Amino acid sequence: MLKKWISSLQLARDIWRRKLGLLLFDRPSPAFKLDKPLKRVVLVRWDAKWGDAIVSSFIFREWRRAYPNIKIDVITTPNMSNLFKKYFGADHVYEIKKRPSYSELKSLALEIGEADLLVHISKALKMKDLYFMNKVQARTISGLDDAVGLVGLKLGKLTEGKHFADKFGILLEQTGVDIKDSSYIVPDDEASQNGVDDFLSSIEGPILAFNPYGSGKSRQLSKEKIKKIIGKVAEIRNDVSVVILTTPDKKDEVADICEFYDQAFYYPESNSIYDSISIMRRAAWVISVDTATVHIAIGLNKPLLALYNPDDENFIEWGPNASLAISIFASEVNPPDINSIDGDLLSEHIYKLLNVK
């Protein structure tokens, strides 16, 4: 009851702040007109989400192919900076913390200077978003929030009901790009891959990479459910080795789980998502509850079993958009819990996954 009350207060606060932001900072702007080649694009990616970044990765390649002299800059958090600069090829990365102050946003806008296009793909822009967009010197701003006057290239209605990869594709088309390749860019960290390859060299048989941990409690499989999935894999295919993808805070739990099964392993040195990517690159299949891992698996063209809590809108926009992907949903419970997924349904689809060639 208390959580619902707090949630209602937060929602009311956010609505009020947005209305105030629109009143103070919004202004009408002309509709986008592509009257000359794009020279500089700035992407707002300070949400610090790996899955979102992977899904949008192909726009870097396609913009550069269409406009060889284009400059693509990114605004993101420090922990995401390397991904955009080293692997996606951003010309410059502006680092900012996840919750910047108004003065920091003003300074950032001044530092950025002029740009042909600022892209801020958020479905509901907040007060600080509006403030920043008001201060930045962009000829056009593109986004999904059609109600905002500052947004000149409106993509909300135009991309409604589409996967986010398709939304980014429409952004490219609206900026004069004839898309040749919409496959995702997946980082290939040499040091990480070398370490993972040394670890995997002692493991026999084809590998199934298994990520049982998503963000938030509702998307984390219990220890018991993880064991049941590993047991089912062993029952179906006794030659398959399951490598559990883990984070530092889950290593003790994963180590305990692996003690129960000869076919279960984890990489003790794993300390970043690059290690998980390196394991998935060598895997024959992937099972995941996590959006980032799902999209990385898609980018690596791996047969995938993705587990979701019921949320139709989220699945349409962020589900795995690939022919090799199988998706199943947990039962609808309150609060959502990925562990409510039906055991028979799970077994059936693990069997299907392991028979994908």
Side-chain angles (χ1 to χ4, degrees):
M1 188 68 178
L2 179 60
K3 284 185 178 180
K4 285 186 178 180
W5 182 72
I6 293 173
S7 179
S8 297
L9 283 179
Q10 290 173 336
L11 179 61
R13 177 203 62 191
D14 291 343
I15 291 172
W16 179 85
R17 283 180 177 175
R18 175 179 164 84
K19 288 181 178 179
L20 182 61
L22 289 169
L23 179 66
L24 294 175
F25 309 126
D26 196 21
R27 61 172 183 266
S29 59
F32 174 69
K33 185 179 180 181
L34 187 65
D35 51 7
K36 57 183 178 179
L38 290 178
K39 292 183 178 179
R40 188 185 183 208
V41 175
V42 180
L43 299 171
V44 178
R45 299 315 310 259
W46 56 40
D47 49 17
K49 293 181 179 179
W50 263 82
D52 298 26
I54 293 293
V55 167
S56 65
S57 59
F58 69 98
I59 66 176
F60 290 83
R61 177 180 58 238
E62 293 302 293
W63 261 327
R64 292 200 188 284
R65 186 191 52 74
Y67 302 111
N69 297 318
I70 195 172
K71 183 178 181 183
I72 306 174
D73 297 337
V74 177
I75 306 167
T76 193
T77 52
N79 64 313
M80 300 288 287
S81 179
N82 189 55
L83 173 67
F84 287 104
K85 190 162 184 66
K86 181 177 180 180
Y87 297 105
F88 294 172
D91 292 287
H92 184 78
V93 174
Y94 297 92
E95 294 185 3
I96 193 164
K97 62 188 182 184
K98 199 169 182 179
R99 293 179 177 82
S101 65
Y102 284 95
S103 62
E104 288 169 331
L105 290 172
K106 184 178 180 180
S107 296
L108 175 62
L110 290 171
E111 184 183 357
I112 289 171
E114 295 182 357
D116 293 325
L117 182 66
L118 177 82
V119 180
H120 195 344
I121 302 292
S122 175
K123 294 175 71 175
L125 294 163
K126 298 180 180 179
M127 188 170 178
K128 283 187 177 180
D129 299 316
L130 297 166
Y131 175 80
F132 174 72
M133 290 160 57
N134 177 279
K135 297 298 180 183
V136 78
Q137 298 178 58
R139 186 162 62 94
T140 302
I141 296 174
S142 180
L144 297 171
D145 196 339
D146 290 356
V148 175
L150 283 161
V151 177
L153 177 48
K154 300 181 186 294
L155 299 174
K157 187 175 181 180
L158 191 62
T159 67
E160 189 175 3
K162 296 184 180 294
H163 192 277
F164 257 87
D166 297 323
K167 294 179 192 289
F168 284 110
I170 290 172
L171 168 64
L172 288 173
E173 291 169 355
Q174 291 293 305
T175 57
V177 178
D178 181 15
I179 301 169
K180 302 297 184 184
D181 181 6
S182 59
S183 62
Y184 303 158
I185 298 171
V186 179
D188 187 0
D189 186 275
E190 184 178 0
S192 174
Q193 194 66 62
N194 288 338
V196 165
D197 286 347
D198 285 343
F199 159 67
L200 294 177
S201 64
S202 62
I203 298 176
E204 297 180 355
I207 291 168
L208 185 151
F210 176 26
N211 184 7
Y213 305 115
S215 60
K217 187 177 179 181
S218 68
R219 296 169 62 194
Q220 297 198 5
L221 290 172
S222 66
K223 195 172 181 178
E224 293 70 26
K225 204 75 170 183
I226 294 170
K227 287 180 178 179
K228 286 181 180 178
I229 290 174
I230 295 171
K232 180 54 64 174
V233 171
E235 179 185 322
I236 296 169
R237 289 279 300 268
N238 60 14
D239 63 324
V240 173
S241 293
V242 178
V243 177
I244 304 175
L245 307 182
T246 183
T247 54
D249 62 309
K250 292 292 186 180
K251 280 184 182 178
D252 288 344
E253 177 175 294
V254 171
D256 287 343
I257 293 169
C258 290
E259 287 290 327
F260 283 87
Y261 301 96
D262 293 336
Q263 291 176 232
F265 305 88
Y266 77 103
Y267 181 38
E269 306 304 319
S270 180
N271 55 27
S272 76
I273 194 169
Y274 295 105
D275 295 322
S276 294
I277 293 171
S278 296
I279 292 169
M280 284 191 285
R281 184 171 275 109
R282 300 297 188 239
W285 311 273
V286 176
I287 296 177
S288 179
V289 301
D290 177 69
T291 303
T293 310
V294 162
H295 293 307
I296 290 165
I298 297 300
L300 293 172
N301 201 34
K302 300 294 179 180
L304 164 73
L305 176 58
L307 314 182
Y308 290 94
N309 284 313
D311 186 337
D312 291 343
E313 183 178 353
N314 181 71
F315 183 74
I316 288 170
E317 294 184 331
W318 292 108
N321 55 335
S323 60
L324 291 176
I326 303 168
S327 301
I328 56 174
F329 297 87
S331 300
E332 193 161 349
V333 294
N334 190 19
D337 183 4
I338 196 67
N339 292 288
S340 69
I341 202 160
D342 180 76
D344 291 338
L345 182 67
L346 192 54
S347 298
E348 176 189 340
H349 286 84
I350 291 173
Y351 180 84
K352 287 182 180 179
L353 175 70
L354 295 176
N355 284 280
V356 172
K357 297 180 181 180

